[in-house]
Amino acid sequence: MRSEFLLDRDSPIPARQNLDSTFVFGGPLELKLQKVGFGFGCEIGLMTVVAISYTWNQTWQDGECVEAHPDPAMYYLGIVKKVLRFMLKTEEYSGKRVEGQQVFLFWDWLSRFQNYTGSLIDTATIGDTLVSMVKRCMDTMDLWYGSALMMIWMLTQGPPGSRDYFSRGWCDMEFGVGSLCTPSHMALDLGLLEDMTEYNSRYWFYHGGIGTIGKSCAGKRPLPMTHSKFDEMMDEKVIKDGASIPKIEFTVEADRDLIKGLYCKTFDGVVGR
């Protein structure tokens, strides 16, 4: 998705099927790097891609989902817009509105076809012709979050009352693969975000002592977790109300095995070489 779509968005984001085709980007991506920062900076992609990692803030009542939109109050939208606007004004990214050098986003609700029935946005249905496309996207989700050429913004702090980021299986996978080899200025924990006026507005990242957003929000780098340890974490149980339940939760339980495979593939491809 072209980032321009979000910059002035003031209503809940639509499902992928209803995204204006003007803002759909189908590739190809030019995987070239350019040096920025006048000798002290870093290399960034000529075409910058940002993958958004967050926990869906759906509304549930008595075990039933009564509002399926993942960001009904536009909490995440507000953060992404704020950081995106800031980034596009820094020296490293200020030229990223030129054709061929733009910023694109992978945001699952906007980038992968969805099912939605509700009152916030237009209805969306994954029909027979879209099933294979959805499967291909799900089977390659590790590429969006585990590639060193992709930027990942991890929104680890959700809105009040929402589910904890690290209690969700997809978030743990995205955080895990995003921590393997993505450069620090490209793997950001936006849960660490402070008032934007606290950051040096000239640069996105600076190796020195200047307080840039790219350095202040650089995601923690825990030691890489082997895929067997990751599987153990996914299968860990806790006791709640006298019952043994998974500590890591999934809305769709079948996704548990899917992300185990995605993490294993990424770990073996990065660390196993």
Coordinates of all heavy atoms in Angstrom, one line a residue, residues 24-61:
V24 N -2.9 1.1 -4.2 CA -2.5 -0.3 -4.2 C -1.2 -0.4 -4.9 O -1.1 0.1 -6.1 CB -3.5 -1.3 -4.8 CG1 -2.9 -2.7 -4.9 CG2 -4.8 -1.3 -4.0
F25 N -0.1 -1.0 -4.3 CA 1.1 -1.2 -5.0 C 1.4 -2.7 -5.2 O 1.5 -3.4 -4.2 CB 2.3 -0.6 -4.2 CG 3.6 -0.8 -4.9 CD1 4.0 -0.1 -6.0 CD2 4.6 -1.7 -4.3 CE1 5.2 -0.3 -6.6 CE2 5.8 -1.8 -4.9 CZ 6.1 -1.2 -6.1
G26 N 1.5 -3.1 -6.4 CA 1.6 -4.5 -6.7 C 3.0 -4.9 -7.1 O 3.3 -6.1 -7.5
G27 N 4.0 -4.0 -6.9 CA 5.4 -4.3 -7.2 C 5.7 -4.0 -8.7 O 4.9 -3.5 -9.4
P28 N 6.9 -4.4 -9.1 CA 8.0 -5.0 -8.3 C 8.7 -4.0 -7.4 O 8.7 -2.8 -7.7 CB 8.9 -5.6 -9.3 CG 8.8 -4.7 -10.5 CD 7.4 -4.2 -10.5
L29 N 9.4 -4.5 -6.3 CA 10.2 -3.6 -5.5 C 11.6 -3.6 -6.0 O 12.1 -4.6 -6.4 CB 10.2 -4.2 -4.0 CG 8.9 -4.0 -3.2 CD1 9.0 -4.8 -1.9 CD2 8.7 -2.5 -2.9
E30 N 12.2 -2.4 -6.0 CA 13.6 -2.2 -6.4 C 14.4 -2.4 -5.2 O 14.5 -1.5 -4.3 CB 13.8 -0.8 -7.0 CG 15.1 -0.6 -7.6 CD 15.4 -1.4 -8.8 OE1 14.5 -1.5 -9.7 OE2 16.5 -2.0 -9.0
L31 N 15.1 -3.5 -5.0 CA 15.8 -3.8 -3.8 C 17.3 -3.3 -3.9 O 18.3 -4.0 -3.8 CB 15.9 -5.3 -3.6 CG 14.5 -5.9 -3.4 CD1 14.6 -7.4 -3.1 CD2 13.8 -5.3 -2.2
K32 N 17.4 -2.0 -4.0 CA 18.6 -1.3 -4.0 C 18.8 -0.4 -2.8 O 17.8 0.1 -2.2 CB 18.8 -0.4 -5.2 CG 18.9 -1.1 -6.6 CD 19.1 -0.1 -7.7 CE 19.3 -0.8 -9.0 NZ 19.5 0.1 -10.1
L33 N 20.0 -0.3 -2.3 CA 20.3 0.5 -1.1 C 20.9 1.8 -1.5 O 21.6 1.9 -2.5 CB 21.2 -0.3 -0.1 CG 20.6 -1.6 0.4 CD1 21.7 -2.3 1.3 CD2 19.4 -1.3 1.2
Q34 N 20.7 2.8 -0.7 CA 21.4 4.1 -0.9 C 22.0 4.6 0.5 O 21.4 4.4 1.5 CB 20.5 5.1 -1.5 CG 19.2 5.4 -0.6 CD 18.3 6.4 -1.2 OE1 17.1 6.4 -1.0 NE2 18.8 7.3 -2.1
K35 N 23.2 5.1 0.4 CA 23.8 5.7 1.6 C 23.2 7.0 1.9 O 23.1 7.9 1.1 CB 25.3 5.8 1.4 CG 26.1 6.2 2.6 CD 26.3 5.1 3.6 CE 27.2 5.5 4.7 NZ 27.4 4.5 5.7
V36 N 22.8 7.2 3.2 CA 22.3 8.5 3.6 C 23.0 8.9 4.9 O 23.5 8.1 5.6 CB 20.8 8.5 3.9 CG1 20.0 8.2 2.6 CG2 20.4 7.4 4.9
G37 N 23.0 10.2 5.2 CA 23.6 10.6 6.5 C 25.0 11.2 6.4 O 25.6 11.4 7.4
F38 N 25.5 11.5 5.2 CA 26.7 12.2 5.0 C 27.9 11.6 5.8 O 28.6 12.3 6.6 CB 26.6 13.7 5.4 CG 25.4 14.3 4.8 CD1 24.2 14.6 5.4 CD2 25.5 14.7 3.4 CE1 23.1 15.2 4.8 CE2 24.4 15.3 2.8 CZ 23.2 15.5 3.5
G39 N 28.1 10.3 5.6 CA 29.3 9.6 6.2 C 29.0 9.0 7.6 O 29.7 8.1 8.0
F40 N 28.0 9.6 8.3 CA 27.8 9.0 9.7 C 26.5 8.3 9.7 O 26.0 7.8 10.8 CB 27.8 10.1 10.7 CG 26.8 11.3 10.4 CD1 25.4 11.1 10.5 CD2 27.3 12.5 9.9 CE1 24.6 12.1 10.2 CE2 26.4 13.5 9.6 CZ 25.0 13.3 9.7
G41 N 25.8 8.2 8.6 CA 24.5 7.6 8.6 C 24.4 6.1 8.4 O 25.2 5.3 8.9
C42 N 23.5 5.7 7.5 CA 23.3 4.3 7.3 C 22.8 4.1 5.9 O 22.5 5.0 5.1 CB 22.3 3.8 8.3 SG 20.8 4.8 8.4
E43 N 22.6 2.8 5.5 CA 22.0 2.5 4.2 C 20.5 2.2 4.4 O 20.1 1.5 5.3 CB 22.7 1.3 3.6 CG 24.1 1.5 3.2 CD 24.7 0.4 2.4 OE1 24.4 -0.8 2.8 OE2 25.5 0.5 1.5
I44 N 19.7 2.8 3.5 CA 18.3 2.5 3.5 C 17.9 2.1 2.1 O 18.6 2.3 1.1 CB 17.5 3.7 3.9 CG1 17.6 4.9 2.9 CG2 17.9 4.2 5.3 CD1 16.7 6.1 3.2
G45 N 16.8 1.4 2.0 CA 16.3 1.0 0.7 C 15.9 2.2 -0.2 O 15.3 3.2 0.3
L46 N 16.1 2.1 -1.5 CA 15.7 3.1 -2.4 C 14.2 3.2 -2.4 O 13.6 4.2 -2.4 CB 16.2 2.7 -3.8 CG 16.0 3.8 -4.9 CD1 16.8 5.0 -4.6 CD2 16.3 3.2 -6.3
M47 N 13.5 2.0 -2.2 CA 12.1 1.9 -2.0 C 11.9 1.3 -0.6 O 12.3 0.2 -0.3 CB 11.4 1.0 -3.1 CG 11.7 1.5 -4.5 SD 11.0 0.4 -5.7 CE 9.3 0.8 -5.7
T48 N 11.3 2.1 0.3 CA 11.2 1.7 1.7 C 9.9 1.0 1.9 O 8.8 1.5 1.6 CB 11.4 2.9 2.6 OG1 12.6 3.6 2.4 CG2 11.2 2.6 4.1
V49 N 9.9 -0.1 2.6 CA 8.7 -0.9 3.0 C 8.7 -1.0 4.5 O 9.6 -1.5 5.1 CB 8.7 -2.3 2.3 CG1 7.4 -3.0 2.7 CG2 8.9 -2.2 0.8
V50 N 7.5 -0.6 5.0 CA 7.3 -0.7 6.5 C 6.2 -1.8 6.8 O 5.1 -1.7 6.2 CB 6.8 0.6 7.1 CG1 6.6 0.5 8.6 CG2 7.8 1.7 6.8
A51 N 6.6 -2.8 7.6 CA 5.6 -3.8 8.0 C 5.1 -3.4 9.4 O 5.9 -3.2 10.3 CB 6.2 -5.2 8.0
I52 N 3.8 -3.4 9.6 CA 3.2 -3.0 10.8 C 2.8 -4.2 11.6 O 2.2 -5.2 11.2 CB 1.9 -2.2 10.6 CG1 2.1 -1.0 9.7 CG2 1.3 -1.8 11.9 CD1 3.1 0.0 10.3
S53 N 3.3 -4.3 12.9 CA 3.1 -5.4 13.8 C 2.3 -4.9 15.0 O 2.7 -4.0 15.7 CB 4.4 -6.0 14.3 OG 4.2 -7.0 15.2
Y54 N 1.1 -5.5 15.3 CA 0.2 -5.0 16.3 C -0.8 -6.1 16.7 O -0.9 -7.0 15.9 CB -0.5 -3.7 15.9 CG -1.5 -4.0 14.8 CD1 -2.9 -3.8 15.0 CD2 -1.1 -4.4 13.5 CE1 -3.8 -4.0 14.0 CE2 -2.1 -4.7 12.5 CZ -3.4 -4.5 12.8 OH -4.3 -4.8 11.8
T55 N -1.4 -5.9 17.8 CA -2.5 -6.9 18.1 C -3.8 -6.3 17.8 O -4.1 -5.1 18.2 CB -2.4 -7.3 19.6 OG1 -3.5 -8.2 19.9 CG2 -2.5 -6.1 20.5
W56 N -4.7 -7.0 17.1 CA -6.0 -6.5 16.7 C -6.8 -6.1 18.0 O -6.9 -6.9 19.0 CB -6.7 -7.6 16.0 CG -6.2 -7.8 14.6 CD1 -5.1 -7.3 14.0 CD2 -6.9 -8.4 13.5 NE1 -5.0 -7.7 12.7 CE2 -6.1 -8.4 12.4 CE3 -8.2 -9.1 13.4 CZ2 -6.5 -9.0 11.1 CZ3 -8.5 -9.7 12.2 CH2 -7.7 -9.6 11.1
N57 N -7.4 -5.0 17.9 CA -8.2 -4.5 19.0 C -9.7 -4.6 18.7 O -10.5 -3.7 18.7 CB -7.9 -3.0 19.3 CG -8.6 -2.4 20.5 OD1 -8.8 -3.2 21.5 ND2 -9.0 -1.2 20.5
Q58 N -10.1 -5.9 18.5 CA -11.5 -6.2 18.2 C -12.3 -6.2 19.5 O -11.8 -6.2 20.6 CB -11.6 -7.6 17.6 CG -10.9 -7.7 16.2 CD -10.8 -9.1 15.7 OE1 -10.5 -10.0 16.4 NE2 -11.1 -9.3 14.4
T59 N -13.6 -6.0 19.4 CA -14.5 -6.0 20.5 C -15.2 -7.4 20.7 O -15.9 -7.8 19.7 CB -15.6 -4.9 20.3 OG1 -15.0 -3.6 20.1 CG2 -16.5 -4.8 21.6
W60 N -15.0 -8.0 21.8 CA -15.6 -9.3 22.1 C -16.6 -9.2 23.3 O -16.4 -8.4 24.2 CB -14.5 -10.3 22.5 CG -13.6 -10.6 21.3 CD1 -12.6 -9.8 20.8 CD2 -13.7 -11.8 20.5 NE1 -12.0 -10.4 19.7 CE2 -12.6 -11.6 19.5 CE3 -14.4 -12.9 20.5 CZ2 -12.4 -12.6 18.6 CZ3 -14.2 -13.9 19.6 CH2 -13.2 -13.8 18.6
Q61 N -17.6 -10.0 23.2 CA -18.6 -10.0 24.3 C -19.2 -11.4 24.4 O -19.7 -12.0 23.4 CB -19.8 -9.0 23.9 CG -20.8 -8.8 25.1 CD -21.8 -7.7 24.7 OE1 -22.3 -7.6 23.6 NE2 -22.1 -6.9 25.7

